[in-house]
Amino acid sequence: LGSGAGGQVWAGVQTRTGQRVAVKIFLTTSGLDMSYLTREVERLREVAENPYVTTLLDASLTSDPPFFVMPLLPQSLSAYGKTATSEQIEKWLEQMARGLSYTHRKGILHCDLKPSNVLVDLEGNLRLADFGQSLMSDEQTASFGTLGYMAPEQAGLVPEERGAGPDVRWDIYALG
């Protein structure tokens, strides 16, 4: 289905349930920080109850290669380009805001919100995905992300904000 810096995402079928799934396989295991993947699993577990966040069905960080299993969602928001109606966009904005509000109440900041990290299910509803760059709101660490969607403070472009910790406003900026 796609690939990124750390691995690939494949379509599959969960044999026990027959459910179509997406399997994210981390192919570059040399130098892979397992604590990074462990944190992502923990954060996905924390937000699993929200209908606007992708659900983690299974994970194995001890397999070779490590993997995550999630429901197969047909495409990302980036696939829609400018073809969505104003009513659809309004619905999606509300769903993203509700998903972000839920994760923020759990103390989790997404930190890499962008169209390719927002998936669309078969009913046309959105689910936030890819919490690999996420941070806890009380962490005092820099965050990676995607420059075109990062708040200037997150990207370190505001001199008086350099070195400041994560902030909910980063995700709100990206939502806008």
Side-chain angles (χ1 to χ4, degrees):
L1 297 174
S3 60
Q8 299 175 339
V9 179
W10 290 80
V13 176
Q14 191 173 43
T15 55
R16 292 186 308 257
T17 65
Q19 180 180 2
R20 291 181 44 97
V21 296
V23 181
K24 184 175 183 179
I25 301 170
F26 299 93
L27 298 176
T28 311
T29 55
S30 64
L32 184 64
D33 185 352
M34 293 310 286
S35 66
Y36 170 84
L37 295 181
T38 301
R39 285 192 315 267
E40 185 174 1
V41 168
E42 290 168 357
R43 290 173 187 160
L44 285 170
R45 189 173 44 232
E46 281 294 313
V47 296
E49 300 301 317
N50 190 273
Y52 306 119
V53 178
T54 301
T55 305
L56 181 66
L57 299 173
D58 196 4
S60 176
L61 303 181
T62 58
S63 294
D64 186 18
F67 66 88
F68 293 170
V69 180
M70 296 156 279
L72 180 63
L73 301 173
Q75 51 193 343
S76 72
L77 192 57
S78 59
Y80 284 85
K82 297 181 181 184
T83 62
T85 66
S86 57
E87 292 82 16
Q88 187 66 59
I89 293 169
E90 182 179 338
K91 174 184 165 184
W92 286 343
L93 284 171
E94 179 180 350
Q95 290 174 347
M96 282 192 293
R98 288 181 183 273
L100 282 175
S101 176
Y102 181 81
T103 62
H104 293 163
R105 285 193 309 273
K106 295 283 193 172
I108 300 170
L109 306 177
H110 191 283
C111 300
D112 195 23
L113 188 64
K114 58 185 176 182
S116 61
N117 285 342
V118 180
L119 303 178
V120 183
D121 69 19
L122 293 172
E123 289 78 37
N125 295 310
L126 294 187
R127 292 180 182 241
L128 303 178
D130 196 348
F131 282 76
Q133 301 296 333
S134 67
L135 295 172
M136 298 305 293
S137 57
D138 61 352
E139 286 185 74
Q140 295 299 309
T141 183
S143 174
F144 300 104
T146 303
L147 191 57
Y149 298 95
M150 292 170 76
E153 303 82 26
Q154 181 183 3
L157 300 176
V158 179
E160 61 272 14
E161 293 281 337
R162 285 195 186 118
D167 195 301
V168 167
R169 294 175 292 180
W170 295 358
D171 285 347
I172 294 170
Y173 180 91
L175 174 64

